[in-house]
Amino acid sequence: MRTRADIRPRRGSRTDMAAAESCGGDGARPDTTVQRAELRLLLDTALRPGESWYLVGIRWFRQWKKYVGFDSWDVIGEGDRCLLPGPIDNSGLFSDLETQSLKEHLIDELDYVLVPTEAWNKLVAWYGYIDGQQPIERKVVEYGLFVKYYKVEVYLLELKLCESSDPDRVISCHFSRADTVATIEKEMRKLFNIPAEKETRVWNRYMGNAYEQLSKLDSTVQDAGLYQGQVVLIEVKNEDGTWPGQHFLPKSSTATSRNFTTSSKSSASSYSSVSATSVITNGDSSNSYGLNSSHLGRGGSGFVCNSYSCRDSAPLSQPGLCGLSNLGNTCFMNSALQCLSNTPPLTDYFLEDKYEAEINQSNPLGMRGEIAEAYADLIKQIWSGRQSYMAPRMFKTQVGRFAPQFSGYQQQDSQELLAFLLDGLHEDLNRVKKKPYLELKDANGRPDSEVAKEAWENHRLRNDSIIVDIFHGLFKSTLVCPKCSKVSVTFDPFCYLTLPLPLRRDRLMEVTLVYADPRRRPVQYRVVVPMMGAISDLCESLSKLSGVPAENMVVTEVYNHRFHKIFQMDEGLNHIMPKDDIFVYEVCKPSEDGSEYVTLSVYFREKTMRQSSSTSGTVLFGQPLLISVPKHKLTVDHLYSVVLEQISRYVKLPLAEEYSTPCPDKGTCNGSNTAVEGDIEEMEHQDGGQEGKEKLTEVDPCHSEGCMQIESARDLQPCKKQHFTFSLVNASGTSEINSIVEGKILKLNAFSALAVDWDFDTRRLLFDEQEAQAFEKHGSMLQPQKKKAVVALRDCIELFTTMETLGEHDPWYCPNCKKHQQATKKFDLWSLPRILVVHLKRFSYSRYWRDKLDTVVEFPIRGLNMSEFVCDPRAGSYVYDLIAVSNHYGAMGVGHYTAYAKNKVNDKWYYFDDSSVSVASEDQIVTKAAYVLFYQRRNSEEHTVPSPPQEECDGMETN
């Protein structure tokens, strides 16, 4: 599975077509207070199955929120017409603007927001949407059987459809998981021109060339277990009443029938539709689509087989070396399952059918034994040696029934699935049928060994399963009150260790500096900034490399040829994501005459003719500018000369005067109501709204060496033809606000946005596209980056056991002081399990920041000695050998999961990448992708019960 592609166009990318052309938006727009109130109410609408919701690009939606003051902390620009969002623009969500197919791995609230139908209709009525873009409508789908869970199905399921008479002709179609098999059949009849009177059968291919009949037409796509990219085949009955493949069907068969479902209780559920299906398995290369008579059942109708494969085939591979098909973003599940499958004591337990006597169907915290049975069936298939890979569809379906967060097809976390699965198996296999009530006792100064023994015995009175036997250990937690020195010691069981990684204190950022001197090309720098620093820190670091004073810098994020954000100096760098395009502008403000200057945003647009009419629209292109102009010189003529000076490096004017023309009449010579050289600019004018407010404070006059005066000596003569015109536009450059009157002083505020409009011929004649996109690289970009620090696993363990002070938002209630205190807290290990699962905490979250730490953690393949970290003085030797690793490649929320695991039969390492299994060597295993580690204790002694009371641990003092 590929990692998420960079979603920002770089310089030189396809120009943004989301300028002025729009559909809808003709209705009267209420004031911002009404918009805010109406949308706030609608956005709280509950999800209901079958209803439609719409995707709105996050960038447009954030701009709308700024304009209406939606968030209480961001009301300074409410009603500012410079912040008008313009028509709804979803171009950032598409991987291809022509087909309008969605990019992979889009994330809710990070890339888009979901709005209900009524909210969408209001936004369209108020603002319209970009001409040519289709609304992205999606349905609400219900997940889960016992725990109902609703979510909007953003990504439809792609199925590959074909006909039995021509299986090589495959047509891809998208379906909702709420669609039925009947819907698929209807679509296939239409695609393959099958008459309505013809009888058909529908089959799905689920493994290699194995086919399974979809006999219940009212089953949903989700219930039938269809997955992304699966082949679905339609078979048309012959004129003589036979089916095309029926001559392969035997008259009798001794094949054993086996039901799809994993327990009799589940057969009555909505998922039982798959238990009534038939299976055709490949084995005869001469047939049309993989029929094999040796696997067909009685009566010529096929036999019912389990969800993975038939059990009566000959061994094909080494037991345990069975890949797992990716069912659509399920690599996280495959990685976790391969690690658990290669945990010998757990796998032996299931292969030897010991679980059957311990299934607890009455445990209210369990899943009626169904997770245990589904897992057992899966493990038996993996270790049967009868196939090189399999599709774990029914296991995923069972997991999704009880844990709806795993029921969809979005990427999830392998460690979170492991946690659910271990807990689910434990409760399904808990030998305790009726859990006793136990009253917790305080340590009250008793020896640690006594308190630990009591805690473990109490734990086993309520929790007794193979999972506890193998995976559970015991923590010691010590809290000390800073006021009264009260010490609280507790012992708690754990199933896995979550270890923190040493955090980086700084980060590298790549930014492009645009100099005030128009003759200089922009320069790209790589700067080192504090991880939790501010924009001012970025400017200081850049100043040291460039020589430009930090106070003369304005930091911006550029997206689709416009300023998506202009940052304040005190804003945190955590607002800037690693892949954002950051441009820093040197803004010089001459101070000789003490004039007040205003900084303006300048966008470049090309006037284009609409295909649907004879009127014109505009297209954004090029790199936007920031210019500073004296307020008393804010006239069209002066702006023209300033902009012309700033773009003189890549706009070459002719020397001759053939472009001279008589002066136009005074009046409104710019904007949508003005005839400019034959083109009529018909833009979306925005009415109403208060005057814009200044966004940024004024910065000091320019002190940088060589800084050019923006005020140009080359003022435009009134009778010389203007090669471009101006329009006052919103912050996105998508809608005009007012026409610009020539000859008058313009009342513009800080960071008002101007559009420089070119006609097609003039742009092609004068504008040097290659030079406009050109930039240079500073030496900091060419220097090899420092090799990332390597962290030892023991460093992570030491960090985990280091004393820390609780935060002010996470205090501890001291029973002595009778109040919450910021106590010191220390974790220690008292006893360790037979299988030690180590979770490296690579992912960090904040409101604006989602990061993955790709630090290389060096962990031993064999001989991990944990004895020094175990506090129990009577503990034996804790030496572990690695048996499996779950890997994660790529960024957070996306990327790909794989696994390394050691086969218990031949003691060789293998690499599991979905359906692919390959031999691996030990030197390949330690990488920055390692995420969850599985260690097995060397000796057979399990040490699941703490040692009897002897003496207190003398290594546990916190002072």
Side-chain angles (χ1 to χ4, degrees), residues 851-870:
D851 192 24
K852 178 189 175 185
L853 302 176
D854 55 0
T855 308
V856 176
V857 177
E858 286 191 336
F859 50 90
I861 305 297
R862 55 178 66 85
L864 171 65
N865 193 342
M866 294 291 292
S867 302
E868 61 180 296
F869 299 106
V870 175

Side-chain angles (χ1 to χ4, degrees), residues 27 219 414 427 477 640 682 905:
S219 293
S414 66
E427 296 295 356
S477 175
Y640 186 89
E682 292 197 351
V905 177

Side-chain angles (χ1 to χ4, degrees), residues 673-741:
N673 297 325
T674 304
V676 182
E677 300 151 24
D679 284 331
I680 304 298
E681 184 81 7
E682 292 197 351
M683 301 292 296
E684 291 285 337
H685 281 266
Q686 310 295 338
D687 300 323
Q690 59 185 13
E691 290 293 325
K693 301 181 179 67
E694 294 196 355
K695 302 297 184 301
L696 295 182
T697 57
E698 299 288 341
V699 295
D700 291 336
C702 172
H703 301 295
S704 55
E705 183 178 353
C707 175
M708 291 195 62
Q709 301 285 330
I710 292 182
E711 190 175 346
S712 173
R714 184 173 53 178
D715 283 344
L716 182 69
Q717 296 301 319
C719 60
K720 181 162 289 187
K721 174 183 176 181
Q722 293 189 354
H723 301 290
F724 51 80
T725 57
F726 291 105
S727 301
L728 183 61
V729 295
N730 64 347
S732 299
T734 55
S735 297
E736 288 189 17
I737 298 175
N738 277 324
S739 58
I740 294 180
V741 180

Side-chain angles (χ1 to χ4, degrees), residues 515-517 548-554 569 585-600 626-632 646 694-704 706-711 749-751:
Y515 290 93
D517 184 348
V548 175
E551 60 268 23
N552 288 356
M553 295 180 181
V554 176
M569 281 293 185
Y585 289 80
E586 180 188 8
V587 179
C588 297
K589 295 198 256 189
S591 59
E592 286 80 2
D593 57 0
S595 301
E596 185 180 357
Y597 279 71
V598 61
T599 300
L600 304 174
L626 285 181
I627 60 173
S628 289
V629 183
K631 274 195 171 183
H632 70 278
Q646 288 299 104
E694 294 196 355
K695 302 297 184 301
L696 295 182
T697 57
E698 299 288 341
V699 295
D700 291 336
C702 172
H703 301 295
S704 55
C707 175
M708 291 195 62
Q709 301 285 330
I710 292 182
E711 190 175 346
N749 299 312
F751 296 99

Side-chain angles (χ1 to χ4, degrees), residues 164-334:
S164 62
S165 60
D166 188 8
D168 293 332
R169 182 195 172 206
V170 176
I171 300 176
S172 293
C173 285
H174 291 83
F175 296 92
S176 167
R177 289 164 183 82
D179 286 338
T180 62
V181 174
T183 304
I184 300 175
E185 184 195 35
K186 182 178 178 181
E187 183 66 20
M188 295 179 79
R189 282 180 176 271
K190 183 171 68 174
L191 289 172
F192 300 115
N193 298 316
I194 301 173
E197 64 273 11
K198 291 283 188 180
E199 189 176 347
T200 60
R201 294 192 302 193
V202 179
W203 305 79
N204 71 292
R205 187 170 70 188
Y206 70 94
M207 186 187 70
N209 240 12
Y211 285 81
E212 178 179 71
Q213 186 181 350
L214 301 172
S215 58
K216 292 197 67 173
L217 297 182
D218 58 346
S219 293
T220 65
V221 169
Q222 177 175 277
D223 291 346
L226 300 180
Y227 56 85
Q228 180 74 13
Q230 191 164 22
V231 174
V232 178
L233 178 143
I234 190 166
E235 183 186 21
V236 183
K237 198 170 190 178
N238 296 326
E239 295 292 340
D240 61 2
T242 63
W243 293 98
Q246 192 158 339
H247 59 282
F248 293 104
L249 301 177
K251 294 181 179 179
S252 63
S253 173
T254 58
T256 303
S257 175
R258 181 174 173 86
N259 200 288
F260 250 112
T261 54
T262 55
S263 75
S264 58
K265 288 192 176 185
S266 66
S267 62
S269 74
S270 62
Y271 293 86
S272 63
S273 58
V274 290
S275 67
T277 60
S278 304
V279 170
I280 298 180
T281 309
N282 180 44
D284 190 338
S285 59
S286 65
N287 63 66
S288 61
Y289 57 104
L291 296 173
N292 184 348
S293 60
S294 66
H295 289 273
L296 296 172
R298 301 180 183 89
S301 61
F303 73 99
V304 180
C305 172
N306 70 5
S307 59
Y308 307 111
S309 73
C310 303
R311 291 179 178 266
D312 54 352
S313 56
L316 297 174
S317 63
Q318 168 77 36
L321 303 187
C322 178
L324 299 173
S325 297
N326 193 317
L327 308 181
N329 286 336
T330 57
C331 55
F332 74 96
M333 179 182 75
N334 295 343

